[in-house]
Amino acid sequence: MANHSNWAPGTFFHLHEEDPVEEYENFKLGMWIFLATEVLLFGGLFAVYFVMKWRYPDLFLAGAAQLNALLGTGNTLVLLCSSFTMALAVDAAQRGQQKKLVWNLVLTLAFGTVFLIIKFFEWKAKIGHGWFPGLNLDIFFSIYFMTTGLHLLHVLVGMSFIGLLLYRAVVHKRYHEENFGGVEIGGLYWHLVDVIWIFLFPLLYLI
Amino acid sequence: MSSDRKMGHVQDFKVYVGVLLALFVLTVVTWAASTVHFGIWNNVIAVGIAAIKASLVIYFFMHGRYEKQETWAFIYYPMLLMAFLLGGLFLDYATGSSRTNKENYQAKPTSITLIHGEDKSHGEAAPAGNHAAPSGDGHTAPAGDNAAPSGDHAAPANDHATPAEDGGNH
């Protein structure tokens, strides 16, 4: 491992001296810019959704009827709860409350895992019907697998990020009142995953 | 930015709980609105409620309310681009500019590739269709010879040319 002794604690690169507040602000701004590109990535898929829906309205009605709206609603509530605990984790880091930080990160990971489990059973049912990406799919299910699959990838990345935060919080006690930028960045990413699902859920499952 | 040199802001616990409850309620509202048929407006309602929920998450959970203008520029700009994209598509489709295409595509709503194949064989003139045929399935071209005469007059002539073309290419 690199020698961190001459680094300011908790900073990421710290290649040159910078005002900690400015560094924190820039750190966050970078994440916001990245999230903007994420919105555009999913935005293209949403555009495809609306164009195809206009062309094949019956197909989309039939497709949405095949999805389990109860599982979709359940996953929505689970993700909203995970966003809530993530926000509380950031809050705990800001206040320097170590125990609360760790437990909220654990809860966020737990909610993420519940989301994955529900998604697993949902996809299992679809694949059990022989609906699998690339095999005999209509356009609705192509869009369904593409959007939820890309979202699932984001859930996995977000959970890895939170796992890293948890490790650093438990082992290094790294986050406190003076340094919580990392938790906030992870939180921003996780909330974006939630925001994308907020749009995916009604469009795929309900209408 | 110059006045306070503090890192971030803390919110009251009640704010987080209130936002979570509001998000729950709006989820139920989304579901309820989807059970009533408003036609195309179901899409608008669903996206509208989702936008409110997303705004709550951005404003309170992501601490957007404390962010400076530079950050908000990066929140607005993807939204603006999305509005242009979706708004443009909506105008295009809602005003019927693409309706002539739509009627062609509406017939066989199973998969894109199939529909393109159908379109070529039925809708378009013979030369375009025959160009597609030999490249698509080379070995079935002789079988096509037998079937072709039952079609139109232009087809046999082109199908005779097909093996010759194949020979020339190989």
Side-chain angles (χ1 to χ4, degrees):
Chain A
M1 215 167 165
N3 177 20
H4 290 83
S5 58
N6 56 345
W7 290 17
T11 52
F12 195 48
F13 292 120
H14 208 78
L15 299 176
H16 55 94
E17 284 302 321
E18 208 175 359
D19 174 43
V21 178
E22 197 135 328
E23 198 169 79
Y24 160 79
E25 294 284 343
N26 291 342
F27 198 17
K28 255 191 336 184
L29 182 63
M31 193 58 178
W32 279 103
I33 295 172
F34 172 67
L35 295 187
T37 69
E38 290 277 56
V39 170
L40 296 179
L41 170 67
F42 277 91
L45 290 174
F46 281 116
V48 169
Y49 169 91
F50 282 113
V51 168
M52 287 304 157
K53 189 174 190 176
W54 181 264
R55 281 192 173 160
Y56 315 116
D58 302 339
L59 198 64
F60 272 67
L61 269 181
Q66 295 293 323
L67 297 187
N68 191 333
L70 198 67
L71 290 185
T73 311
N75 256 351
T76 306
L77 298 181
V78 166
L79 266 198
L80 289 178
C81 287
S82 78
S83 245
F84 172 70
T85 53
M86 191 67 221
L88 290 185
V90 175
D91 188 67
Q94 284 181 318
R95 294 171 197 265
Q97 300 164 337
Q98 296 297 326
K99 224 174 196 173
K100 206 179 126 193
L101 167 66
V102 168
W103 276 110
N104 276 305
L105 288 176
V106 168
L107 274 176
T108 310
L109 272 182
F111 282 126
T113 310
V114 172
F115 180 90
L116 291 182
I117 291 169
I118 294 179
K119 190 99 269 176
F120 169 77
F121 282 110
E122 210 190 320
W123 275 23
K124 203 179 153 211
K126 301 289 167 293
I127 291 167
H129 282 109
W131 300 329
F132 191 76
L135 287 178
N136 197 23
L137 274 189
D138 65 33
I139 188 69
F140 175 82
F141 277 101
S142 289
I143 292 175
Y144 165 79
F145 276 114
M146 187 67 205
T147 50
T148 58
L150 192 61
H151 179 265
L152 192 71
L153 200 65
H154 281 75
V155 172
L156 291 174
V157 170
M159 284 176 70
S160 317
F161 203 150
I162 294 166
L164 181 68
L165 293 176
L166 187 61
Y167 172 78
R168 286 176 171 172
V170 172
V171 177
H172 299 308
K173 302 257 184 295
R174 181 159 170 166
Y175 304 109
H176 47 81
E177 295 96 320
E178 302 289 304
N179 175 40
F180 51 84
V183 185
E184 197 157 5
I185 302 297
L188 287 178
Y189 186 85
W190 188 255
H191 292 310
L192 181 90
V193 172
D194 185 31
V195 165
I196 289 165
W197 183 260
I198 284 174
F199 282 94
L200 281 183
F201 160 64
L203 293 180
L204 289 176
Y205 291 81
L206 294 182
I207 56 172
Chain B
M1 181 176 173
S2 53
S3 58
D4 63 324
R5 303 295 299 159
K6 217 153 61 77
M7 267 191 213
H9 299 258
V10 287
Q11 282 180 130
D12 202 82
F13 179 69
K14 283 179 200 150
V15 176
Y16 294 111
V17 176
V19 170
L20 181 67
L21 290 179
L23 290 170
F24 276 7
V25 170
L26 285 171
T27 304
V28 175
V29 172
T30 309
W31 171 79
S34 73
T35 58
V36 188
H37 284 277
F38 296 110
I40 195 168
W41 292 102
N42 274 115
N43 294 287
V44 179
I45 292 167
V47 172
I49 297 175
I52 296 171
K53 287 167 76 178
S55 306
L56 285 174
V57 172
I58 291 170
Y59 200 69
F60 294 106
F61 281 0
M62 296 168 89
H63 290 184
R65 61 192 293 205
Y66 303 123
E67 286 297 343
K68 47 194 176 2
Q69 292 300 312
E70 294 97 305
T71 305
W72 274 98
F74 285 100
I75 300 174
Y76 285 134
Y77 113 86
M79 282 163 59
L80 197 68
L81 289 178
M82 283 306 298
F84 274 126
L85 177 61
L86 294 181
L89 286 170
F90 180 78
L91 286 178
D92 201 22
Y93 280 83
T95 56
S97 317
S98 55
R99 194 157 293 157
T100 45
N101 277 334
K102 193 193 163 196
E103 273 153 18
N104 285 340
Y105 284 117
Q106 201 73 44
K108 297 271 192 313
T110 42
S111 83
I112 298 281
T113 42
L114 190 75
I115 289 155
H116 275 301
E118 292 280 325
D119 268 354
K120 271 183 185 151
S121 57
H122 287 297
E124 295 200 70
N130 273 313
H131 275 297
S135 60
D137 41 354
H139 66 283
T140 55
D145 256 334
N146 293 336
S150 64
D152 54 341
H153 290 291
N158 274 310
D159 266 314
H160 280 299
T162 302
E165 266 178 22
D166 267 349
N169 285 337
H170 287 304

